[in-house]
Amino acid sequence: MSDILTATGVDLSYGKQLAVRDAHLSVAPGEVVAITGQSGSGKSSLLYCLAGVLPPTRGQVRFEGQALDELTDDEISALRRERFGFVFQYGELLPELTVEENTALPLRLAGQRKKPALAAAGKVLDRLGLSELRERRPGQVSGGQSQRVAVARSLVHQPALVFADEPTGSLDSANADAVLKEFLGLARSQGTAVILVTHDPGIAAQADTHYTMADGVLGPRGAA
Ligand SMILES: Nc1ncnc2c1ncn2[C@@H]1O[C@H](COP(=O)(O)OP(=O)(O)OP(=O)(O)O)[C@@H](O)[C@H]1O
Ligand SMILES: [Mg+2]
């Protein structure tokens, strides 16, 4: 099958600082791609370009054949909302919403009514063993639990591709491993591709494909 995401010759500069240089990358449907590299090597910057959060200074990103730089801001927002999922380092749940409402958020943003959205959220929470936490707010759950909720939220709308930037960064290694296994298991079962940014080579080994990044330069595609 043809790739869903391709980046060709992507540079990203912050003023004079070149954070990403000439990056080439491709992601197949359902593929789990890990990107590792030291702090400051440009992993998050590359992810922002791939997800259409920051426009590359040079080069191009295509999603399902469509160049992101040819889309309007509204079209990019809709793409991010409907076809992409995101997990960040600290989970970043909305404190005023319950676990269930946080999980349902992508569906609500896509215009789904409350009842079916919460029902779908409940199913994903169930799969991740989080049903008892449905009514709690983020302040009333542990760090590991809140990362699991963030994982549930990133997958609830069955996106084509999830961008995960150090998704287990705030957890100890045993917890990180458990959350990651659940995350990748669920993503694989629904055919969602994942781009997983991590410092940790052990985590990257669970991916299908592995790229390493150093000083803004993304290495060649390799097996994990
Ligand atoms: N908004 C910004 N303005 C200026 N420079 C930035 C900005 N964001 C990042 N940088 C610089 O760009 C380079 C790449 O940063 P980036 O955050 O992409 O690295 P990273 O690999 O994600 O690091 P980490 O593993 O610590 O998250 C670094 O030198 C960083 O200082
Ligand atoms: Mg980063």
Side-chain angles (χ1 to χ4, degrees), residues 107-169:
L107 297 170
R108 298 287 285 147
L109 290 175
Q112 201 172 109
R113 298 172 74 90
K114 190 159 185 176
K115 218 170 157 183
L118 291 180
K123 270 193 197 148
V124 182
L125 290 170
D126 219 17
R127 278 215 49 183
L128 295 173
L130 298 169
S131 303
E132 317 88 273
L133 306 180
R134 280 208 318 263
E135 312 276 304
R136 294 208 208 159
R137 292 185 201 278
Q140 303 167 316
V141 304
S142 74
Q145 288 166 339
S146 102
Q147 293 229 259
R148 285 185 171 85
V149 176
V151 161
R153 183 182 57 186
S154 78
L155 290 166
V156 72
H157 53 312
Q158 310 209 321
L161 177 57
V162 172
F163 295 92
D165 195 352
E166 299 278 1
T168 56

Side-chain angles (χ1 to χ4, degrees), residues 39-40 42-45 48 89 165-166 197 199:
S39 183
K43 305 180 299 296
S44 295
S45 302
Y48 298 147
Q89 189 163 5
D165 195 352
E166 299 278 1
V197 165
H199 289 93

Side-chain angles (χ1 to χ4, degrees), residues 43-62:
K43 305 180 299 296
S44 295
S45 302
L46 174 62
L47 211 64
Y48 298 147
C49 291
L50 299 178
V53 174
L54 290 178
T57 318
R58 217 175 52 90
Q60 200 168 53
V61 177
R62 287 179 177 271

